């Protein structure tokens, strides 16, 4: 296309210089970033109280599954001590121990533990250990086991609703099952596993044994540590 | 009106994000182990696609062409974060189930693809509808993948439904002592099923094309 027919004095449209384009782009990018960051920050601030509340409920609900709420009368979420990273519990980060008491007397402890050797990595658990050294119950908190196969370690995914796999640990202790027999049947122990998905069950069983052994040998000291303090050996 | 009809047809079948564009396979392979998971992720993605298309189409005159991609990514990531927080705060029960899927939506390139290919050039409401239609097309394919993998892998249908609709339960399709078929549940199983679905789609398209050609040239067809 030629501009021969156009008046000679008409200014030719000059494309904006590279500097102008990049300045404008930078400015717009900054403005968009500020606007959308503000949107996210606003949503975060608006939802934070609700998120905190539901995180607390979640924790109480999970603890309630391993420790019946009528078995203690203290403020469980406040009677806590901090545990430095404990390799024997499979934890490489500080965790919290909740101490349940009834009329001031120690009843049970809720400790976190982890199995590092699940089929797909780490399996997080919590367990409640009664004063007499028996496990009250164990629950899996986080895991990545294969859906439909190894995930029966989580009772919500276990197809046996009447008697989920994990309830085998209810009221189990070293008085009834010796540490040497605290294994899955496949390894010559006492605990069932599902055929074809032994690894998940083995990881949870072994981690439970280690966590129980760790807890019972330190029971006195864990209960005696001042509330809110950090436990040390 | 016909514009919306075309958008629907494209989203559900002609340009189906998985079968035709083969986009967004990462979440597709990861979560289609059961029907319930697959449909949940599909619907969450449809929602985010619809909202991000609507936002980009409304703001498109302010977005400089040279930096449109970073701006699109910024918008999508922010919206997903907002949706994630809002879900967690106000629909907490549902968030417990779908929560892990929502951050996955960011990694689904079909969201960015629709923003770039459609929302950047069309009106706000058409774009919102395009996002929804593409999302529903995705949901349909994910549902089929989920049904097949769940049936072959663990012999059930609707496993996990009790987490979404309390009181219901999974249906055992095969005998209860069915040992399961691990490879169907692992990612390779998703590739096998997906490959078969794409083959079926291509076969249907080829057949439709042949028919159309025969119908268009009756003389040479008779010869």
């Amino acid at each position: 296309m030629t501009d021969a027919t156009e008046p000679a004095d008409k200014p030719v449209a000059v494309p904006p210089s590279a500097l102008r384009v990049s300045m404008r782009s930078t400015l717009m990018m900054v403005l968009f970033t500020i606007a959308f960051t503000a949107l996210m920050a606003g949503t975060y601030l608006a939802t934070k109280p609700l998120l905190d509340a539901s995180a607390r409920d979640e924790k109480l609900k999970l603890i309630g599954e391993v420790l019946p709420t009528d078995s203690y009368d203290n403020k469980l979420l406040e009677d806590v001590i901090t545990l430095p990273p404990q390799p024997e519990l499979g934890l490489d980060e500080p965790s919290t121990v909740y101490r349940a008491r009834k009329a001031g007397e120690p009843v049970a402890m809720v400790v976190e533990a982890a199995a590092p050797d699940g089929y797909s990595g780490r399996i997080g658990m919590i367990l409640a250990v009664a004063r007499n050294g028996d496990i009250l119950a164990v629950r899996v908190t986080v895991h990545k086991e294969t859906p439909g196969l190894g995930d029966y370690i989580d009772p919500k995914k276990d197809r046996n609703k009447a008697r989920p796999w994990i309830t085998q640990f209810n009221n189990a202790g070293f008085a009834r099952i010796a540490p040497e027999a605290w294994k899955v049947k496949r390894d010559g122990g006492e605990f069932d596993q599902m055929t074809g998905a032994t690894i998940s069950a083995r990881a949870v069983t072994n981690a439970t044994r280690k966590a129980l052994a760790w807890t019972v040998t330190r029971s006195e000291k864990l209960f005696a540590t001042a509330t809110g303090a950090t436990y040390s050996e | 009106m016909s514009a919306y009809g075309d958008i629907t047809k494209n989203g559900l079948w002609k340009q189906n994000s998985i079968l035709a564009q083969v986009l967004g396979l990462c979440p597709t392979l990861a979560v289609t182990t059961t029907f319930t998971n697959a449909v949940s992720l599909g619907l969450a993605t449809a929602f985010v696609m619809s909202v991000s298309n609507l936002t980009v189409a409304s703001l498109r005159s302010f977005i400089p062409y040279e930096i449109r991609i970073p701006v699109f990514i910024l918008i999508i990531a922010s919206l997903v974060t907002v949706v994630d927080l809002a879900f967690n705060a106000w629909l907490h029960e549902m968030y417990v189930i779908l929560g892990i899927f929502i951050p996955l939506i960011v990694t689904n390139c079909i969201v960015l693809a629709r923003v770039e290919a459609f929302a950047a050039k069309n009106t706000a409401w058409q774009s919102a509808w395009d996002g929804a239609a593409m999302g529903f097309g995705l949901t349909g394919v994910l549902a089929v993948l989920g049904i097949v993998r769940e049936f072959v892998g663990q012999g059930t249908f609707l496993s996990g439904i009790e987490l979404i609709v309390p009181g219901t339960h999974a249906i055992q399709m095969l005998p209860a002592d069915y040992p399961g078929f691990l490879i169907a549940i692992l990612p390779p199983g998703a590739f096998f099923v997906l490959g078969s679905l794409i083959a079926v789609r291509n076969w249907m398209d080829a057949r439709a094309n042949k028919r159309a050609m025969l119908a268009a040239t009756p003389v040479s067809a008779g010869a």
Side-chain angles (χ1 to χ4, degrees), chain A residues 21 24-25 28-29 32-33 36 39-40 43-44 47 50-51 54 58 146-149 156-157 159 161, chain B residues 33 59 62-64 66-67 70-71 74-75 78 81-82 85 88-90 92 96 154 162 172 182 185-186:
Chain A
V21 171
R24 198 184 57 132
S25 300
M28 288 310 286
M29 192 72 221
F32 269 106
T33 309
F36 280 88
L39 177 71
M40 282 190 281
T43 316
Y44 176 74
T47 54
L50 285 160
L51 299 191
S54 45
E58 202 96 310
T146 316
L149 199 72
K156 284 200 285 293
K157 300 283 171 67
R159 275 186 271 164
K161 294 290 174 206
Chain B
T33 49
L59 295 174
F62 303 104
I63 303 174
E66 297 81 7
I67 55 160
V71 173
L74 174 77
I75 291 175
S78 312
T81 308
V82 168
L85 287 168
N88 193 351
W90 289 294
H92 188 75
V96 174
Q154 47 177 322
E162 70 275 6
Q172 192 72 33
L182 183 58
I185 295 170
L186 297 177

Side-chain angles (χ1 to χ4, degrees), chain A residues 173-174 177-184 187-191 205-206 209:
Chain A
F174 292 141
I177 301 160
E180 305 81 61
W182 195 289
K183 296 173 189 159
V184 289
D187 299 342
E190 292 279 328
F191 293 97
T205 308
N206 292 345
R209 180 186 63 241

Side-chain angles (χ1 to χ4, degrees), chain A residues 128-137 169 171-176 212 216:
Chain A
V129 181
R131 193 75 178 86
N132 67 1
D134 282 354
I135 285 181
L136 289 170
F169 296 107
N171 304 314
F174 292 141
R176 185 158 64 83
L212 182 62
V216 289

Side-chain angles (χ1 to χ4, degrees), chain A residues 6-30:
Chain A
E6 295 194 3
D9 60 338
K10 185 174 181 188
V12 182
V14 182
S17 72
L19 182 67
R20 269 186 68 97
V21 171
S22 55
M23 291 286 276
R24 198 184 57 132
S25 300
T26 312
L27 183 70
M28 288 310 286
M29 192 72 221
V30 170

